[in-house]
Amino acid sequence: MRTKQELTEAVKRDRRAALVVNAHSRQGMRLYDAARTRLLAAGFTLLDAYPVDRPRELEATLAAVIDRGPDLLVAGGGDGTISTAARLLAHRDIALGLLPLGTTNNFARTVGVPLSLDEAVATLTDGKVIDVDLGLAGGTAFTNHVGVGLSADLMLSAPRLLKRVIGRTAYPITALGLLARHRPLRIVVRADGRAHTFVTHQLYVANGGFHAGRPITADAHADDRLLVAYPVGGRGRWGLLRETARNAATGHRRTLDEEPFLAVGELWVETDRAARVEVDGEPSGRTPLRIGLDPNALRLMAPADTRDL
């Protein structure tokens, strides 16, 4: 395994890369050709380049590309695509390059990768390799978050076409319809020898610093060896909406020391009835669930001034 500096130098010197774009992401198909053209213009040799228009083929395509042994795997898509690529690259001597083409692009925001295509490609040419933590939901690695409750139902219900047309606004619109018939959960989070009980429609456990395209807190990020568990609202349905709006408006000012945040390295989630779980926006079983961390498991290209612990 090369050091991060050695891998950075190899990426910049040899420019051996591969490109996989999820054509079902919000901007994937529209920007695939532009992404490929810009990477070639930046001097990269593309060992493989694929637009994947069938979601069920994404993981197999990424795995096949990784087997070619590029120094840099450039993944274009939303958080689900990036999370899949990150899971496959954990503890590999390959850096992940991000082209944020999704609806919320939480992981790119967390690690400071610009959202515009030109600036994201510039990060691949001028940035550096860092390593960040991955979360572990059961045996599934994730970059951003685990959602228990309404968000897991929402991910199964938000229309793909609506997400493409109006972006992240599609989620609250869909949530309003689901919320009218959703029952609150009694959730027990066990961590550091203590039990924390919440009655809520929604619990998140975050590894990264952003959710729904907004900061969770001013001091949450993906390289701090911490998971952040927090309920959104209480028993009442409208409280969920109020807290969602409050979090979006004040996340950049709040810290992990404030309620209701619980910052720990590992936790166990139990619910009073089996509840659906989503991991980075993809359905992933039901509670109960252990959630932990895999420290510094993923290497990726980030802006040159990114903090790296």
Side-chain angles (χ1 to χ4, degrees), residues 254-269:
R254 302 168 77 183
T255 75
L256 294 178
D257 294 330
E258 297 181 44
E259 292 186 351
F261 301 115
L262 176 64
V264 295
E266 182 182 38
L267 53 88
W268 178 262
V269 178

Side-chain angles (χ1 to χ4, degrees), residues 8 18 28 31 33 41 81 98 184 207 226 228 254 258 273 290 304:
T8 299
L31 292 179
D33 288 334
T81 300
L98 306 183
N207 174 52
L226 289 173
V228 183
R254 302 168 77 183
E258 297 181 44
R273 63 181 188 274
R290 174 196 172 274

Side-chain angles (χ1 to χ4, degrees), residues 1-16 44 70-72 92-96 122-131 299-306 308:
M1 180 81 81
R2 289 168 288 186
T3 66
K4 290 177 283 186
Q5 182 177 350
E6 289 170 342
L7 185 52
T8 299
E9 292 169 352
V11 170
K12 292 185 174 183
R13 180 185 63 244
D14 302 328
R15 302 294 174 99
R16 297 176 65 257
F44 285 101
D71 294 317
L72 178 69
R92 300 289 293 264
D93 192 25
I94 299 172
L96 174 62
T123 297
L124 303 180
T125 61
D126 303 328
K128 68 178 181 182
V129 175
I130 68 169
D131 50 19
R299 292 181 166 191
L300 61 90
M301 288 293 290
D305 59 354
T306 301
D308 185 23

Side-chain angles (χ1 to χ4, degrees), residues 108-123:
R109 295 174 193 271
T110 291
V111 297
V113 172
L115 302 188
S116 79
L117 182 60
D118 286 334
E119 290 180 289
V121 171
T123 297

Side-chain angles (χ1 to χ4, degrees), residues 147-163:
V148 178
L150 184 67
S151 69
D153 298 331
L154 175 61
M155 293 306 167
L156 294 172
S157 304
R160 187 178 298 277
L161 178 59
L162 186 63
K163 289 196 292 181

Side-chain angles (χ1 to χ4, degrees), residues 186-190 194-198 268-272:
R186 184 178 184 274
I187 302 176
V188 178
V189 177
R190 302 185 187 278
R194 299 180 60 192
H196 307 263
T197 301
F198 309 100
W268 178 262
V269 178
E270 302 170 352
T271 53
D272 59 350

Side-chain angles (χ1 to χ4, degrees), residues 83 134-137 140-146 205 207 227 279-280 291-292:
S83 188
L134 291 178
L136 292 172
T140 302
F142 64 93
T143 53
N144 290 298
H145 75 272
V146 175
V205 180
N207 174 52
L227 297 163
V279 176
D280 280 346
I291 306 175

